Amino acid sequence: MECQNQDVDCSDGKRIKLDSSHDSRMAASGRQFFVGGNWKMNGNTTSIDGIISFLTDGSLSGDQTEVVVAPPAIYLQYVRQKLLASVAVAAQNCYKEAKGAFTGENSAEMIKDVGCEWVILGHSERRHKFGETDELIGEKIAHALKAGLKVIACIGELLSERENGKTTEVVFKQSKAIAENVSDWNDVVIAYEPVWAIGTGKTATPDQAQEVHHQLRDWLSQNVSPDVSAKTRIIYGGSVTAANAHELALQPDIDGFLVGGASLKPDFVKIVQARSS
Ligand code: 13P
């Protein structure tokens, strides 16, 4: 990493210059590592009991890592009642209204009512399989935050967009639609999930992920505030496994993970421990 601007003493006795990448690395020490498990449309009471037991038996790094699991909506209350209190529970989606004639939808108020604290919004599967627009996602985020839920707001580019050099254009546009609907960033985690890496086994390399996370942090600094940029967790999702989590977790702007497939397996505990391992 190139260093510019401010001089500092290094542990090896050399004097180096710091650039904004080092600034964000230092700020990283103030951001609690965050690992979410997105179960997607998987599980039944038997397999969920198995997940609850490996989460209960595993060492989840205590205060070091904030852990959240997102079961399908129908199991939210079941999981909340059986899971240890230190693991938070998220819904995978919610609607932008509190109640009413919206057949098949769940509201943020209902999610809170059954004891859950978080909701995932803007996941690429909602965007690309169910046609959710930036505008709808923004409205859902605004409503969920107002209702008192915390939000894991997802963004990420398609493979074709990356190949056409449009990654930043896409994720900045998605970020703008989110930022316009957030007043308190303490309740928001941004999940950068490149669509080409989701469920494909093709994880972004640590450098690829770090590059986008750093660009997102710069975007937050310029478009929201330097304070929000320094404090907001930006987590990575896309084929995270116990094998690749540690190296990704070493990147200065990667503050955790949103895990799909591997969150259904005992390996999830190793991913939670990735920062400390
Ligand atoms: P995978 O970890 O299965 O690639 O899924 C990532 C994801 O979509 C998490 O929200």
Side-chain angles (χ1 to χ4, degrees):
M1 195 177 294
E2 285 300 310
C3 302
Q4 300 156 14
N5 304 335
Q6 187 194 340
D7 286 343
V8 292
D9 290 317
C10 292
S11 52
D12 60 4
K14 288 187 194 136
R15 233 172 135 65
I16 60 159
K17 288 180 182 293
L18 278 187
D19 72 351
S20 57
S21 308
H22 280 85
D23 291 342
S24 57
R25 180 177 303 190
M26 287 192 288
S29 60
R31 295 188 294 266
Q32 189 187 17
F33 205 64
F34 181 106
V35 178
N38 176 8
W39 299 356
K40 307 194 179 182
M41 198 176 74
N42 292 297
N44 53 37
T45 43
T46 307
S47 68
I48 287 172
D49 284 347
I51 296 174
I52 288 171
S53 86
F54 72 64
L55 288 173
T56 308
D57 296 345
S59 161
L60 296 179
S61 306
D63 292 342
Q64 281 185 34
T65 302
E66 184 168 5
V67 185
V68 179
V69 294
I74 198 162
Y75 297 116
L76 282 172
Q77 191 166 17
Y78 181 77
V79 172
R80 183 58 289 164
Q81 286 172 353
K82 293 193 104 182
L83 193 57
L84 52 169
S86 58
V87 179
V89 179
Q92 299 173 14
N93 183 30
C94 67
Y95 196 53
K96 60 174 179 165
E97 305 283 345
K99 61 178 182 165
F102 303 103
T103 302
E105 296 292 323
N106 296 294
S107 72
E109 286 77 358
M110 293 167 183
I111 294 161
K112 266 205 80 143
D113 188 41
V114 296
C116 302
E117 289 173 67
W118 287 86
V119 62
I120 298 172
L121 289 170
H123 192 278
S124 77
E125 286 148 20
R126 301 297 319 170
R127 291 176 185 270
H128 298 292
K129 295 184 183 176
F130 298 95
E132 291 198 7
T133 60
D134 275 342
E135 189 191 359
L136 176 62
I137 293 160
E139 289 173 323
K140 288 181 173 194
I141 289 172
H143 183 84
L145 290 171
K146 197 164 144 246
L149 281 184
K150 295 186 252 190
V151 173
I152 301 170
C154 305
I155 57 176
E157 82 287 1
L158 297 163
L159 181 60
S160 56
E161 292 165 339
R162 174 164 280 260
E163 286 175 346
N164 288 318
K166 294 199 181 310
T167 299
T168 45
E169 186 185 317
V170 170
V171 297
F172 290 170
K173 180 171 172 285
Q174 293 168 335
S175 299
K176 181 167 183 284
I178 293 166
E180 283 167 354
N181 290 285
V182 175
S183 46
D184 185 352
W185 284 87
N186 289 316
D187 292 339
V188 178
V189 167
I190 294 177
Y192 168 60
E193 302 201 293
V195 182
W196 48 271
I198 294 179
T200 58
K202 274 194 216 163
T203 324
T205 64
D207 283 350
Q208 280 175 322
Q210 166 57 26
E211 183 182 30
V212 179
H213 281 231
H214 187 59
Q215 288 161 334
L216 288 167
R217 205 172 295 291
D218 272 351
W219 187 92
L220 283 174
S221 182
Q222 281 161 37
N223 295 277
V224 183
S225 76
D227 186 53
V228 164
S229 165
K231 288 185 182 152
T232 302
R233 271 92 55 94
I234 306 176
I235 63 174
Y236 168 80
S239 299
V240 175
T241 64
N244 59 33
H246 179 64
E247 212 189 332
L248 286 161
L250 291 175
Q251 301 304 311
D253 289 297
I254 297 182
D255 304 314
F257 303 115
L258 190 54
V259 185
S263 70
L264 303 166
K265 304 179 200 149
D267 266 7
F268 183 66
V269 174
K270 292 191 190 137
I271 297 171
V272 169
Q273 296 161 342
R275 182 52 71 82
S276 43
S277 62

